[in-house]
Structure formats: structure tokens, C-alpha cells
Amino acid sequence: MQLSLQALSHRVGAAQHLYPLDLTLQAGAVSVLLGATQAGKTTLMRLMAGLDKPSAGRVLVDGQDVTGLPVRQRNVAMVYQQFINYPSMTVRDNIASPLKLHRTSAGGLPRGLSIDQQVDALAQKLHIEMHLDKLPAQLSGGQQQRVALARALAKGAPLMLLDEPLVNLDYKLREELREELSQLFASGDATVVYATTEPAEALQLGGYTAVMDAGELLQYGPTAEVYHRPASLRVARAFSDPPMNLLPALGQGQGLRLNSGLVLALGQALPQALQGPLTLGLRAHALRLEGGGAGELALQGRVELAEISGSDTFVHVHCAEGELVAQLSGVHHFELGAALSLYADIAQAYVFDAHGALLLAPQRRGG
């Protein structure tokens, strides 16, 4: 199914919730809506589903204008943050409800299966086959969300919308379900739109990513391409966790001069128009504790904070060039106020112009 949005916008009173945007989703693939809270993700999904009407613009499905059609007249499946199941119905009946209503075969399952066979197959895919005779209230949060996902899949809709479906689950459950969802969506039977605030989730789901901020669509494309070549500072900030380190700089000749006076040679001449204010970007994982290689940037500073998260350590360092966060593999211990040197390969640097547009990005391996 091909979903296209043309000059779509949404306003409530004087508040502009969504600015005019054009977006054609990749058919049969997962498209992630990535952005902070109130970026406009839920508003956009409600317009896609037909739950709300746009203030302007059109929604096209396979070239047909469906802008005025309410949600009940569209073949759309939705999964929300909350575990929305029918409390008085067993898990089996919850999953079977769309199959009985629409009398169609669930997406991704062989045709000709009975409703019970389809329910059994979906329950096995989501590892809830042992709970089919239970009521939702007897299940854990993760199990309830699996039921909601199974019911959405049972509908076999060509468009599936998932609005931060894992946000209320604990870390381990999120990891498990995220991996399972990637496998479920790999069949390409439906066009899937998945909203999240987490860059790591977008990277794990793969597919395509639309980066949103304050009601604006900033960039859309293959997830890896958007991550490695953010079109602007706004995209780079949204698609980095922890946020990309951004240092003010001045373009001079073939390099950048940082606030400390340190000159970073880029190995290529900057256009005359860019001999002025620029921004140097370094992702947190590009910073290291050991240097010594050619073409390295050495930054001297003092430790302000060190946090251990899982198998990584995040150290915040105050430097003359600016504030830095380094993501270091492994568990490290630092004394607050201690002197610390961080190193980065120049080849890992991003450069943005005075208006925030991307000028230079690290070259990806393989081209």
C-alpha cells in the first residue's frame, strides 16, 4: 500500500500542531517517526488513520484521496502506548475479534486457515499461546501488549500504525518485543508506521526514518542514510543519543579554528563563502581515551559527571572548546574535577554551516 501526504497540516485554534509537509512512505516497509515529545508524531498518525481531519492538504492511499474518510471506513490497524484489550474477553477472543468482524485472513498467514488456526499461529508468533484462555487482567504488561499487537496483526490491514507501543514496558521486555517486531514486519505485507522518541529504536528497526521536530518534518529516507548524513543540526540533535557534541568554530582556509585556538585541518579547502562561523559535530561514541594516531583531534578538559549505563560509561567533560559527552565502552571510574584528555579521528567529524545545514559528514565504510 502506498500512503502519500500532500501539503498536510493541522491547526487547533491558534496552535499549529503540524506544519505543511509532503511525505510518501515506502510501501511495504517500516517507517519510523522519530522525534521528542510534542514533535507532532501522534498528530501525524491520527491524520494518517482518519481519526482527525487535516486543516489543509490531502491523504492519498494508492493514489486515491481518502482525506475525508473517517477511520471506520479505512483499513487501518493501530497499537497505542496503553494496553488496549477487551477486559471481559479471553486472549483468544481478543485476537479473534477482528477476524470475526472482517472475515479476512490475517496478514502474513496462509489463506484457508480457520479463525482458531489463525489465532493459534499469531499467538505462537508473539509467544502468548499458553495464555489464550486467560483474561487480559491476568497477564503482565508485556503479555497484554503482545495481545494488542496480535489483534492488530489479525486485522491484516495494509497500513499498521504503532504509537510508541513499547514505551510503558521495562527495558528487557522492550528489547525482546522490538526484535520480534522487526521479524514480524520483515514480510512486507503491510506498510508500517512506528513512532518513537528513541534514536536507538529507530536504528534497530531499520527501514526508513522520518525525523520530526516541533511539528515539522525535517528529513525522510533510509534509516542508516538519515543517521549517517543528517541534513541539518536539528536532525543531528534529534537522531543522536546522547546528543551529538556541537562545538562552535570558524572556517579558515582548509580547516576549522575552535574556541580554544586549536586548529582542525580538514584536508580540503573550504569555499570562500564558508570562511566564517561553523559548527563542528562529534558523536559521543567517536570520542576515545587513547590517542596517538595521525589526523586526531585532542581535547583537554575536566570531568564534570560520569554515569555508568549497562556496559557503557558516559563521561561529561568541560573543555575550552565547549561541553562534551563521551560514550566509552566498558565500565570506567573518574574522579570529579579530574583532568581528562579525549581524542577523536578527524574523519569522524561533521561540519555544519552558519544556518545549520550539513557541509561535511564522515564517509561510511563501503562508500
Side-chain angles (χ1 to χ4, degrees):
M1 189 211 74
Q2 184 74 71
L3 178 67
S4 296
L5 312 175
Q6 296 181 349
L8 203 70
S9 67
H10 189 60
R11 176 187 290 271
V12 178
Q16 189 78 38
H17 288 197
L18 200 68
Y19 291 90
L21 62 84
D22 293 286
L23 176 63
T24 297
L25 297 179
Q26 185 71 21
V30 177
S31 287
V32 177
L33 300 183
L34 174 64
T37 302
Q38 297 186 335
K41 304 184 299 297
T42 298
T43 298
L44 184 55
M45 295 183 91
R46 290 180 63 87
L47 295 176
M48 291 176 176
L51 290 168
D52 294 327
K53 291 184 178 179
S55 302
R58 302 194 303 164
V59 179
L60 304 178
V61 173
D62 292 332
Q64 180 182 357
D65 191 343
V66 298
T67 310
L69 287 182
V71 64
R72 64 179 179 274
Q73 296 181 29
R74 301 192 195 186
N75 195 1
V76 179
M78 296 192 71
V79 180
Y80 301 91
Q81 296 178 12
Q82 296 79 14
F83 317 129
I84 301 177
N85 295 301
Y86 300 114
S88 61
M89 295 168 58
T90 65
V91 169
R92 177 177 293 279
D93 289 336
N94 263 281
I95 300 173
S97 58
L99 293 168
K100 294 176 179 178
L101 180 63
H102 297 284
R103 298 290 175 182
T104 58
S105 177
L109 295 180
R111 294 186 179 278
L113 295 180
S114 68
I115 288 178
D116 278 344
Q117 288 173 323
Q118 292 184 69
V119 170
D120 289 340
L122 287 169
Q124 288 175 10
K125 277 188 173 184
L126 287 159
H127 309 296
I128 51 174
E129 65 273 17
M130 69 292 293
H131 303 301
L132 286 172
D133 295 325
K134 296 179 181 179
L135 294 173
Q138 296 174 283
L139 307 180
S140 68
Q143 291 164 348
Q144 290 188 55
Q145 192 64 308
R146 290 174 195 268
V147 175
L149 287 164
R151 196 173 73 248
L153 289 167
K155 191 173 182 180
L159 177 63
M160 181 174 289
L161 307 176
L162 299 98
D163 191 3
E164 298 189 58
L166 310 183
V167 71
N168 290 326
L169 305 181
D170 63 41
Y171 177 81
K172 184 177 180 181
L173 280 174
R174 286 204 307 271
E175 290 293 304
E176 290 177 359
L177 269 174
R178 190 181 294 137
E179 184 175 343
E180 291 169 14
L181 288 175
S182 297
Q183 296 171 358
L184 287 170
F185 299 150
S187 64
D189 293 314
T191 297
V192 179
V193 182
Y194 188 107
T196 182
T197 61
E198 300 180 23
E201 196 162 43
L203 288 169
Q204 287 179 311
L205 288 170
Y208 295 75
T209 291
V211 179
M212 301 188 68
D213 180 53
E216 294 183 69
L217 173 65
L218 303 182
Q219 187 175 352
Y220 177 69
T223 297
E225 177 68 17
V226 176
Y227 176 78
H228 289 290
R229 293 194 62 84
S232 66
L233 278 171
R234 292 175 69 188
V235 176
R237 289 190 185 102
F239 210 161
S240 294
D241 185 24
M244 182 183 288
N245 295 295
L246 301 173
L247 304 176
L250 285 175
Q252 293 182 346
Q254 294 189 358
L256 302 178
R257 180 178 292 276
L258 304 182
N259 279 350
S260 63
L262 188 65
V263 176
L264 174 62
L266 297 176
Q268 63 184 83
L270 292 171
Q272 186 62 37
L274 300 179
Q275 304 294 315
L278 301 174
T279 299
L280 171 69
L282 293 168
R283 293 197 186 274
H285 62 73
L287 295 169
R288 307 185 310 277
L289 292 176
E290 297 181 359
E296 281 191 335
L297 174 64
L299 302 165
Q300 316 295 326
R302 294 194 174 275
V303 176
E304 292 192 324
L305 176 67
E307 306 169 288
I308 298 173
S309 178
S311 59
D312 290 335
T313 301
F314 297 85
V315 57
H316 299 247
V317 179
H318 174 74
C319 298
E321 292 80 11
E323 303 297 322
L324 297 172
V325 178
Q327 181 178 358
L328 307 174
S329 180
V331 175
H332 302 266
H333 298 280
F334 300 97
E335 293 291 333
L336 296 185
L340 186 67
S341 298
L342 294 172
Y343 301 89
D345 188 339
I346 294 173
Q348 296 300 309
Y350 290 80
V351 180
F352 301 88
D353 69 17
H355 303 289
L358 180 68
L359 292 176
L360 296 173
Q363 186 166 354
R364 296 172 60 187
R365 291 179 180 177

